[in-house]
Amino acid sequence: MTQLCIDFGGTNIKLGLWNNGSVVASEEFRVSGTTRDLATVERRSRALCAGAAVTGVGIAVPGVVDRRAGRLVRAHGKYEYLDGVDLKAWGEAQFGASVALENDARAALIGETAYGCAAGEKDAVMVTLGTGIGTAAIIDGVVLRGAHDHAGILGGHLTVDVDGPRCSCGNIGCAEALASTWAIGGLLGELLAHGEHAGRDADEPIGMKEIIEAALAPDPDAVAGRVLDRFCRVWGAVIVGLCHAYDPDVVIVSGGIMRAGDLLLPRFQEYADAYLWSSSYRPRFVTPERPDLSVLRGLAAIAGATEASSRTVRSTCGPE
């Protein structure tokens, strides 16, 4: 069985072709923020398939989804052009196969507990760090979704500072408003206003990758180090909140920045050990070998389950 997996990420859109749980081919491209993204996904997916018989399609989006209706419900400030788009119908029309839609963090959790770094775990939480902060939970082998598909995925919108800035979601002091890619500029501006400098031109773009590289360099940049330290404490607070809520055996931390996981995971473990409720279980921390593939891996598992439980429409990716 071959699944086409499409991950609408905050910064990049990733495509993957999977067969029996293994990636056959993958690629990614920058999000444009317009309907051109859909056209690019169609074109590049067909090229990636190269005539392969696709039996299922998995689509992930960074926000609340209505899986039955096949739509993105809300992702504040992200993918506004998908509002009202029936992604299931779109995928079925384009690729001629059954389509499964899921929140990206849930998909990542499913992938890593199905056949990733937490394979076989029945009680786990996922934290994905990148453009935003995604979370998800599985309890006693059941992925947490709730009555309205909101459960478990809004950990990035836990309030960690009641005097903090207003988040794009409307809440105050959300973790995502304080420690995500889009929060870097505000924190740097605050530090620069106090006479500190970031060791680079003020107009030079800076993202999470640059912050981590500068903070962890042999000759570390002090301001980058302060930004990373602040972010790690905010992320640690999110992890502690998730552990208090869901009591997991394992915490999975994924996302592109976890390529530096050997340096970041000990910080998260230390924070959790220090601040969890005294009798709380101290979970182990893991990160995928390929954190960039967590969502795609989960989509393959979800698409495979969907096609197994419904009438499978076998088709090749058709001509452009």
Side-chain angles (χ1 to χ4, degrees):
M1 296 187 295
T2 300
Q3 294 88 28
L4 171 65
C5 304
I6 305 167
D7 174 14
F8 286 90
T11 303
N12 294 321
I13 295 176
K14 299 183 180 71
L15 307 175
L17 196 63
W18 291 75
N19 186 274
N20 294 323
S22 298
V23 62
V24 176
S26 65
E27 68 164 300
E28 63 183 276
F29 60 92
R30 194 83 171 178
V31 169
S32 74
T34 70
T35 53
R36 290 197 306 272
D37 287 336
L38 286 176
T40 303
V41 167
E42 294 167 15
R43 175 172 52 83
R44 294 201 178 195
S45 293
R46 290 192 177 99
L48 194 70
C49 292
V54 173
T55 56
V57 178
I59 301 174
V61 289
V64 179
V65 301
D66 183 334
R67 292 178 300 120
R68 294 179 181 84
R71 289 178 169 86
L72 171 64
V73 176
R74 188 61 56 84
H76 294 284
K78 304 169 188 173
Y79 291 107
E80 293 180 356
Y81 65 84
L82 292 182
D83 184 33
V85 175
D86 186 336
L87 288 169
K88 277 190 174 182
W90 169 79
E92 289 168 356
Q94 294 300 323
F95 308 112
S98 59
V99 176
L101 178 68
E102 187 54 276
N103 165 267
D104 55 357
R106 280 205 199 104
L109 173 64
I110 291 168
E112 295 304 331
T113 54
Y115 27 59
C117 65
E121 293 289 347
K122 295 185 179 298
D123 294 274
V125 295
M126 164 69 77
V127 182
T128 62
L129 304 174
T131 306
I133 300 173
T135 65
I138 182 170
I139 301 175
D140 197 23
V142 178
V143 177
L144 189 64
R145 290 191 171 93
H148 310 98
D149 276 327
H150 285 62
I153 63 173
L154 298 178
H157 296 279
L158 292 171
T159 295
V160 297
D161 183 356
V162 294
D163 296 314
R166 183 173 292 275
C167 181
S168 62
C169 75
N171 194 12
I172 296 293
C174 290
E176 187 167 303
L178 296 169
S180 61
T181 298
W182 62 271
I184 291 174
L187 183 52
L188 280 177
E190 180 183 324
L191 294 173
L192 292 170
H194 287 81
E196 302 185 53
H197 62 86
R200 59 180 65 229
D201 293 335
D203 294 332
E204 184 178 349
I206 185 168
M208 197 72 72
K209 178 176 181 289
E210 289 77 18
I211 287 290
I212 291 175
E213 289 177 348
L216 302 179
D219 182 19
D221 180 273
V223 172
R226 289 189 60 183
V227 172
L228 181 60
D229 179 67
R230 171 63 180 270
F231 278 24
C232 283
R233 286 185 288 121
V234 172
W235 294 332
V238 171
I239 290 168
V240 167
L242 294 174
C243 290
H244 284 165
Y246 306 124
D247 190 23
D249 282 325
V250 61
V251 175
I252 309 162
V253 189
S254 192
I257 70 168
M258 293 311 294
R259 293 185 180 93
D262 56 335
L263 299 171
L264 296 178
L265 275 187
R267 295 194 185 198
F268 303 149
Q269 183 83 61
E270 181 180 356
Y271 190 98
D273 288 346
Y275 295 109
L276 276 171
W277 180 262
S278 58
S279 61
S280 292
Y281 176 75
R282 267 52 182 171
R284 65 188 182 91
F285 282 67
V286 297
T287 193
E289 287 187 18
R290 290 289 305 276
D292 55 312
L293 295 181
S294 291
V295 176
L296 296 178
R297 181 180 288 118
L299 288 175
I302 296 167
T306 298
E307 65 187 83
S309 63
S310 63
R311 183 176 63 87
T312 300
V313 179
R314 296 189 175 274
S315 173
T316 61
C317 289
E320 296 190 48

